[in-house]
Amino acid sequence: EVLIEAREVEKRYPNGTLALKGVSLAINRGEVVCIIGPSGSGKSTLLRTLNALESISSGEILMDGISVHAAKTDLNALRTHAGMVFQQFNLFPHMTALENIMLAPVEVLKLPAAQARSRAEALLAKVGLADKAGNRPAQLSGGQQQRVAIARALAMQPRVMLFDEPTSALDPEKVGEVLDVMKDLAAEGMTMVVVTHEMGFARAVADRVLFMDRGELVYQDAPEAFFTSA
Ligand code: ADP
Ligand code: ADP
């Protein structure tokens, strides 16, 4: 069952850079897809077009059958369905870990505070940070902040999780704790699209690897095929 479909997507930035050329792909529910490729090849642009953080110049993207870039599409509803985790963790610095996770469920989903709190506490436990609920981001290591960011995205109960180089800003010894949380999510059947340079993760966890080069999706296959054919 296809959850995300891109048809002949082209993206030209206002300065003229053609970042995506004729990109077509389909991602099934429950699938884990890793996007790899050289710097500047369009990986991040592609990921950000999937939840309309970036507009497209032509083509179409469907998420759960909804045309992402159509003028009538409710972007807030759309982004509720697609949780996003960035390279820079983007937590609110003046809020605790718990408050960061509770915010959108209260503000956007209008969950009662008590319910949002218990959801946030459960998610903190899930990412191994039950004892850090009261810490602000500055009181957490980078790996811990990124795990809070993942919990914050999960608090919206998204249908898909989009990760943009989630471990690239981390000290090497903190990478594993974030990848472990992502592996757990994959094992639970979460649909995931992951831009990453972590080839070990792609090989072990991805159902499919997409290789981007100069704005084109030049190759896609199961990781076994991918990593032996190179
Ligand atoms: P990757 O994630 O593979 O490193 P990006 O999607 O970030 O690639 O970038 C693809 C191309 O688009 C690059 O040539 C980059 O310089 C360009 N680009 C990215 N963002 C912008 C922007 N906001 N304005 C203009 N060009 C951009
Ligand atoms: P790392 O080397 O993991 O980046 P730190 O030495 O910064 O870690 O922190 C180690 C532990 O102490 C972490 O669990 C972190 O949450 C906690 N910690 C760091 N700074 C503070 C602080 N100012 N207040 C409370 N806890 C902190």
Side-chain angles (χ1 to χ4, degrees):
E1 184 196 1
V2 175
L3 184 62
I4 301 173
E5 188 174 2
R7 296 177 186 155
E8 291 294 322
V9 171
E10 197 161 282
K11 166 67 182 182
R12 189 181 289 280
Y13 282 106
N15 70 358
T17 303
L18 189 54
L20 297 175
K21 304 176 202 171
V23 173
S24 296
L25 56 86
I27 296 172
N28 293 317
R29 206 177 288 279
E31 202 176 14
V32 178
V33 172
C34 284
I35 304 177
I36 66 174
S39 179
S41 59
K43 304 179 300 294
S44 175
T45 300
L46 175 60
L47 194 76
R48 286 183 286 127
T49 62
L50 298 181
N51 69 348
L53 281 181
E54 233 22 285
S55 65
I56 59 177
S57 308
S58 65
E60 186 174 32
I61 295 174
L62 299 171
M63 165 97 59
D64 237 353
I66 299 167
S67 183
V68 169
H69 296 270
K72 64 177 184 340
T73 298
D74 177 349
L75 291 184
N76 285 329
L78 177 81
R79 291 187 189 134
T80 302
H81 297 158
M84 183 109 185
V85 175
F86 301 90
Q87 183 173 342
Q88 300 301 336
F89 326 118
N90 296 341
L91 298 174
F92 294 108
H94 58 294
M95 292 184 182
T96 66
L98 190 80
E99 288 164 351
N100 265 282
I101 299 168
M102 286 176 62
L103 184 68
V106 169
E107 298 293 324
V108 180
L109 303 182
K110 309 292 180 198
L111 278 197
Q115 202 179 329
R117 173 177 292 269
S118 56
R119 183 182 288 188
E121 285 170 345
L123 285 167
L124 274 173
K126 182 188 177 77
V127 300
L129 296 173
D131 58 337
K132 304 292 184 194
N135 285 36
R136 279 193 285 277
Q139 300 167 325
L140 297 168
S141 72
Q144 292 170 337
Q145 288 183 59
Q146 191 62 303
R147 285 185 279 150
V148 172
I150 293 171
R152 181 177 59 174
L154 290 173
M156 300 298 277
Q157 302 187 324
R159 292 176 206 174
V160 55
M161 287 283 285
L162 309 176
F163 293 87
D164 193 356
E165 301 199 21
T167 60
S168 295
L170 299 178
D171 295 336
E173 74 275 17
K174 300 297 193 297
V175 169
E177 66 190 54
V178 172
L179 294 181
D180 284 345
V181 168
M182 293 168 64
K183 282 179 197 166
D184 288 347
L185 277 182
E188 289 168 12
M190 175 63 76
T191 308
M192 295 166 56
V193 186
V194 186
V195 173
T196 187
H197 298 290
E198 294 291 333
M199 294 306 139
F201 177 84
R203 184 172 205 149
V205 182
D207 295 303
R208 193 144 50 98
V209 176
L210 271 46
F211 184 74
M212 299 281 303
D213 189 25
R214 281 167 272 188
E216 291 183 277
L217 176 51
V218 292
Y219 188 78
Q220 51 176 318
D221 210 333
E224 308 81 58
F226 196 91
F227 289 108
T228 51
S229 68

